[in-house]
Amino acid sequence: MAALFPRPCEGPSSDEEVDLFGDYRQLFPIHVLGRLFWVPEDNTVLRALQFLELREGAVRLPYKDYCWNDTKGCCEMRYRPTPEAEVVPARACQTRVAPGLEVVALPKGGRACW
Ligand code: FES
């Protein structure tokens, strides 16, 4: 897999996006179930998945079922932190997106829409 680097962007497209994703200025390349997407820097994987749902309709997750604060373990996923790393379990609400990160199993209730 080729090295993937952040790319600049124009940032959030609405006040709602600022509230959800912050005032991001770069997009990070990540893979979700084998497909490449670009998501806002400085966000958790759970927020990045929400971004992909709102912007691209690429995934569906039951966001209201998640605690969003690391108390229930309700967002456990499996992911590879870098392309060379082993797959490990982690909580999507506590894992920061990084270039090259790969989600190999979505949090419970999540599904791809492609
Ligand atoms: S959303 Fe509940 S532990 Fe992450």
Side-chain angles (χ1 to χ4, degrees), residues 46 65-76 91-94:
L46 193 58
D65 294 345
Y66 301 131
C67 67
W68 290 88
N69 59 15
D70 196 26
T71 57
K72 293 184 179 176
C74 46
C75 64
E76 185 154 310
R91 292 181 176 185
C93 72
Q94 298 300 305

PDB file of all heavy atoms in Angstrom, residues 46 65-76 91-94, ligand 1:
ATOM      1  N   LEU A  46     -14.891   7.363  15.899  1.00  0.00           N
ATOM      2  CA  LEU A  46     -16.358   7.405  15.931  1.00  0.00           C
ATOM      3  C   LEU A  46     -16.866   8.672  15.233  1.00  0.00           C
ATOM      4  O   LEU A  46     -17.814   8.619  14.437  1.00  0.00           O
ATOM      5  CB  LEU A  46     -16.858   7.332  17.375  1.00  0.00           C
ATOM      6  CG  LEU A  46     -18.343   7.050  17.557  1.00  0.00           C
ATOM      7  CD1 LEU A  46     -18.757   5.739  16.886  1.00  0.00           C
ATOM      8  CD2 LEU A  46     -18.719   7.026  19.037  1.00  0.00           C
ATOM      9  N   ASP A  65     -27.133   4.937  20.299  1.00  0.00           N
ATOM     10  CA  ASP A  65     -26.878   3.817  21.199  1.00  0.00           C
ATOM     11  C   ASP A  65     -25.510   3.897  21.867  1.00  0.00           C
ATOM     12  O   ASP A  65     -25.216   3.108  22.760  1.00  0.00           O
ATOM     13  CB  ASP A  65     -26.970   2.486  20.441  1.00  0.00           C
ATOM     14  CG  ASP A  65     -28.379   2.214  19.944  1.00  0.00           C
ATOM     15  OD1 ASP A  65     -29.323   2.894  20.416  1.00  0.00           O
ATOM     16  OD2 ASP A  65     -28.537   1.335  19.079  1.00  0.00           O
ATOM     17  N   TYR A  66     -24.678   4.825  21.415  1.00  0.00           N
ATOM     18  CA  TYR A  66     -23.332   4.925  21.968  1.00  0.00           C
ATOM     19  C   TYR A  66     -23.305   5.954  23.087  1.00  0.00           C
ATOM     20  O   TYR A  66     -23.980   6.977  23.031  1.00  0.00           O
ATOM     21  CB  TYR A  66     -22.327   5.318  20.879  1.00  0.00           C
ATOM     22  CG  TYR A  66     -22.272   4.346  19.722  1.00  0.00           C
ATOM     23  CD1 TYR A  66     -22.342   4.789  18.413  1.00  0.00           C
ATOM     24  CD2 TYR A  66     -22.141   2.984  19.944  1.00  0.00           C
ATOM     25  CE1 TYR A  66     -22.286   3.906  17.346  1.00  0.00           C
ATOM     26  CE2 TYR A  66     -22.090   2.087  18.884  1.00  0.00           C
ATOM     27  CZ  TYR A  66     -22.165   2.557  17.592  1.00  0.00           C
ATOM     28  OH  TYR A  66     -22.120   1.680  16.545  1.00  0.00           O
ATOM     29  N   CYS A  67     -22.477   5.702  24.114  1.00  0.00           N
ATOM     30  CA  CYS A  67     -22.364   6.625  25.247  1.00  0.00           C
ATOM     31  C   CYS A  67     -21.474   7.817  24.908  1.00  0.00           C
ATOM     32  O   CYS A  67     -21.561   8.848  25.549  1.00  0.00           O
ATOM     33  CB  CYS A  67     -21.814   5.898  26.474  1.00  0.00           C
ATOM     34  SG  CYS A  67     -20.094   5.352  26.320  1.00  0.00           S
ATOM     35  N   TRP A  68     -20.576   7.670  23.945  1.00  0.00           N
ATOM     36  CA  TRP A  68     -19.671   8.718  23.463  1.00  0.00           C
ATOM     37  C   TRP A  68     -18.622   9.141  24.487  1.00  0.00           C
ATOM     38  O   TRP A  68     -17.896  10.102  24.275  1.00  0.00           O
ATOM     39  CB  TRP A  68     -20.439   9.961  22.989  1.00  0.00           C
ATOM     40  CG  TRP A  68     -21.205   9.732  21.728  1.00  0.00           C
ATOM     41  CD1 TRP A  68     -22.478   9.255  21.631  1.00  0.00           C
ATOM     42  CD2 TRP A  68     -20.753   9.935  20.389  1.00  0.00           C
ATOM     43  NE1 TRP A  68     -22.841   9.164  20.311  1.00  0.00           N
ATOM     44  CE2 TRP A  68     -21.805   9.577  19.532  1.00  0.00           C
ATOM     45  CE3 TRP A  68     -19.553  10.395  19.844  1.00  0.00           C
ATOM     46  CZ2 TRP A  68     -21.698   9.654  18.134  1.00  0.00           C
ATOM     47  CZ3 TRP A  68     -19.435  10.487  18.459  1.00  0.00           C
ATOM     48  CH2 TRP A  68     -20.503  10.112  17.627  1.00  0.00           C
ATOM     49  N   ASN A  69     -18.557   8.469  25.642  1.00  0.00           N
ATOM     50  CA  ASN A  69     -17.613   8.947  26.656  1.00  0.00           C
ATOM     51  C   ASN A  69     -16.829   7.835  27.341  1.00  0.00           C
ATOM     52  O   ASN A  69     -16.412   8.006  28.483  1.00  0.00           O
ATOM     53  CB  ASN A  69     -18.350   9.804  27.692  1.00  0.00           C
ATOM     54  CG  ASN A  69     -19.465   9.019  28.367  1.00  0.00           C
ATOM     55  OD1 ASN A  69     -19.517   7.789  28.265  1.00  0.00           O
ATOM     56  ND2 ASN A  69     -20.352   9.712  29.045  1.00  0.00           N
ATOM     57  N   ASP A  70     -16.669   6.715  26.674  1.00  0.00           N
ATOM     58  CA  ASP A  70     -15.770   5.667  27.167  1.00  0.00           C
ATOM     59  C   ASP A  70     -16.254   5.020  28.456  1.00  0.00           C
ATOM     60  O   ASP A  70     -15.433   4.551  29.242  1.00  0.00           O
ATOM     61  CB  ASP A  70     -14.355   6.267  27.353  1.00  0.00           C
ATOM     62  CG  ASP A  70     -13.282   5.180  27.486  1.00  0.00           C
ATOM     63  OD1 ASP A  70     -13.498   4.069  26.975  1.00  0.00           O
ATOM     64  OD2 ASP A  70     -12.247   5.463  28.107  1.00  0.00           O
ATOM     65  N   THR A  71     -17.543   4.989  28.699  1.00  0.00           N
ATOM     66  CA  THR A  71     -18.008   4.380  29.946  1.00  0.00           C
ATOM     67  C   THR A  71     -18.594   2.981  29.764  1.00  0.00           C
ATOM     68  O   THR A  71     -18.558   2.186  30.698  1.00  0.00           O
ATOM     69  CB  THR A  71     -19.077   5.249  30.643  1.00  0.00           C
ATOM     70  OG1 THR A  71     -20.159   5.470  29.754  1.00  0.00           O
ATOM     71  CG2 THR A  71     -18.490   6.581  31.072  1.00  0.00           C
ATOM     72  N   LYS A  72     -19.140   2.662  28.579  1.00  0.00           N
ATOM     73  CA  LYS A  72     -19.850   1.396  28.425  1.00  0.00           C
ATOM     74  C   LYS A  72     -19.125   0.377  27.548  1.00  0.00           C
ATOM     75  O   LYS A  72     -19.530  -0.773  27.497  1.00  0.00           O
ATOM     76  CB  LYS A  72     -21.229   1.644  27.814  1.00  0.00           C
ATOM     77  CG  LYS A  72     -22.175   2.416  28.708  1.00  0.00           C
ATOM     78  CD  LYS A  72     -23.518   2.512  28.031  1.00  0.00           C
ATOM     79  CE  LYS A  72     -24.547   3.256  28.858  1.00  0.00           C
ATOM     80  NZ  LYS A  72     -25.805   3.404  28.123  1.00  0.00           N
ATOM     81  N   GLY A  73     -18.129   0.815  26.812  1.00  0.00           N
ATOM     82  CA  GLY A  73     -17.476  -0.104  25.880  1.00  0.00           C
ATOM     83  C   GLY A  73     -18.345  -0.416  24.682  1.00  0.00           C
ATOM     84  O   GLY A  73     -18.165  -1.429  24.010  1.00  0.00           O
ATOM     85  N   CYS A  74     -19.272   0.456  24.403  1.00  0.00           N
ATOM     86  CA  CYS A  74     -20.282   0.180  23.379  1.00  0.00           C
ATOM     87  C   CYS A  74     -19.796   0.422  21.952  1.00  0.00           C
ATOM     88  O   CYS A  74     -20.521   0.112  21.008  1.00  0.00           O
ATOM     89  CB  CYS A  74     -21.523   1.017  23.656  1.00  0.00           C
ATOM     90  SG  CYS A  74     -21.199   2.725  24.034  1.00  0.00           S
ATOM     91  N   CYS A  75     -18.606   0.966  21.763  1.00  0.00           N
ATOM     92  CA  CYS A  75     -18.156   1.301  20.400  1.00  0.00           C
ATOM     93  C   CYS A  75     -16.922   0.507  20.011  1.00  0.00           C
ATOM     94  O   CYS A  75     -16.139   0.952  19.164  1.00  0.00           O
ATOM     95  CB  CYS A  75     -17.857   2.792  20.305  1.00  0.00           C
ATOM     96  SG  CYS A  75     -16.475   3.270  21.369  1.00  0.00           S
ATOM     97  N   GLU A  76     -16.765  -0.664  20.626  1.00  0.00           N
ATOM     98  CA  GLU A  76     -15.549  -1.420  20.325  1.00  0.00           C
ATOM     99  C   GLU A  76     -15.504  -1.788  18.847  1.00  0.00           C
ATOM    100  O   GLU A  76     -16.489  -2.227  18.261  1.00  0.00           O
ATOM    101  CB  GLU A  76     -15.441  -2.679  21.176  1.00  0.00           C
ATOM    102  CG  GLU A  76     -14.105  -3.365  20.929  1.00  0.00           C
ATOM    103  CD  GLU A  76     -13.625  -4.196  22.090  1.00  0.00           C
ATOM    104  OE1 GLU A  76     -13.599  -3.690  23.225  1.00  0.00           O
ATOM    105  OE2 GLU A  76     -13.287  -5.361  21.829  1.00  0.00           O
ATOM    106  N   ARG A  91     -11.675   1.158  21.407  1.00  0.00           N
ATOM    107  CA  ARG A  91     -12.929   1.901  21.444  1.00  0.00           C
ATOM    108  C   ARG A  91     -12.855   3.052  20.445  1.00  0.00           C
ATOM    109  O   ARG A  91     -11.958   3.896  20.525  1.00  0.00           O
ATOM    110  CB  ARG A  91     -13.197   2.414  22.853  1.00  0.00           C
ATOM    111  CG  ARG A  91     -13.488   1.287  23.807  1.00  0.00           C
ATOM    112  CD  ARG A  91     -13.789   1.764  25.196  1.00  0.00           C
ATOM    113  NE  ARG A  91     -14.156   0.629  26.041  1.00  0.00           N
ATOM    114  CZ  ARG A  91     -14.562   0.728  27.287  1.00  0.00           C
ATOM    115  NH1 ARG A  91     -14.662   1.923  27.864  1.00  0.00           N
ATOM    116  NH2 ARG A  91     -14.888  -0.351  27.962  1.00  0.00           N
ATOM    117  N   ALA A  92     -13.826   3.102  19.542  1.00  0.00           N
ATOM    118  CA  ALA A  92     -13.813   4.118  18.482  1.00  0.00           C
ATOM    119  C   ALA A  92     -13.942   5.538  19.031  1.00  0.00           C
ATOM    120  O   ALA A  92     -13.465   6.488  18.423  1.00  0.00           O
ATOM    121  CB  ALA A  92     -14.925   3.848  17.470  1.00  0.00           C
ATOM    122  N   CYS A  93     -14.568   5.687  20.216  1.00  0.00           N
ATOM    123  CA  CYS A  93     -14.724   7.020  20.792  1.00  0.00           C
ATOM    124  C   CYS A  93     -13.449   7.515  21.453  1.00  0.00           C
ATOM    125  O   CYS A  93     -13.381   8.675  21.853  1.00  0.00           O
ATOM    126  CB  CYS A  93     -15.883   7.063  21.775  1.00  0.00           C
ATOM    127  SG  CYS A  93     -15.572   6.194  23.341  1.00  0.00           S
ATOM    128  N   GLN A  94     -12.457   6.623  21.594  1.00  0.00           N
ATOM    129  CA  GLN A  94     -11.207   7.000  22.248  1.00  0.00           C
ATOM    130  C   GLN A  94     -10.004   6.921  21.322  1.00  0.00           C
ATOM    131  O   GLN A  94      -8.893   7.241  21.723  1.00  0.00           O
ATOM    132  CB  GLN A  94     -10.964   6.083  23.454  1.00  0.00           C
ATOM    133  CG  GLN A  94     -12.028   6.203  24.512  1.00  0.00           C
ATOM    134  CD  GLN A  94     -12.116   7.606  25.066  1.00  0.00           C
ATOM    135  OE1 GLN A  94     -11.137   8.171  25.531  1.00  0.00           O
ATOM    136  NE2 GLN A  94     -13.293   8.213  24.964  1.00  0.00           N
TER     137      GLN A  94
HETATM  138  S1  FES B   1     -19.139   5.209  22.718  1.00  0.00           S
HETATM  139 FE1  FES B   1     -19.391   4.096  24.568  1.00  0.00          FE
HETATM  140  S2  FES B   1     -17.402   3.363  25.034  1.00  0.00           S
HETATM  141 FE2  FES B   1     -17.168   4.481  23.172  1.00  0.00          FE
END
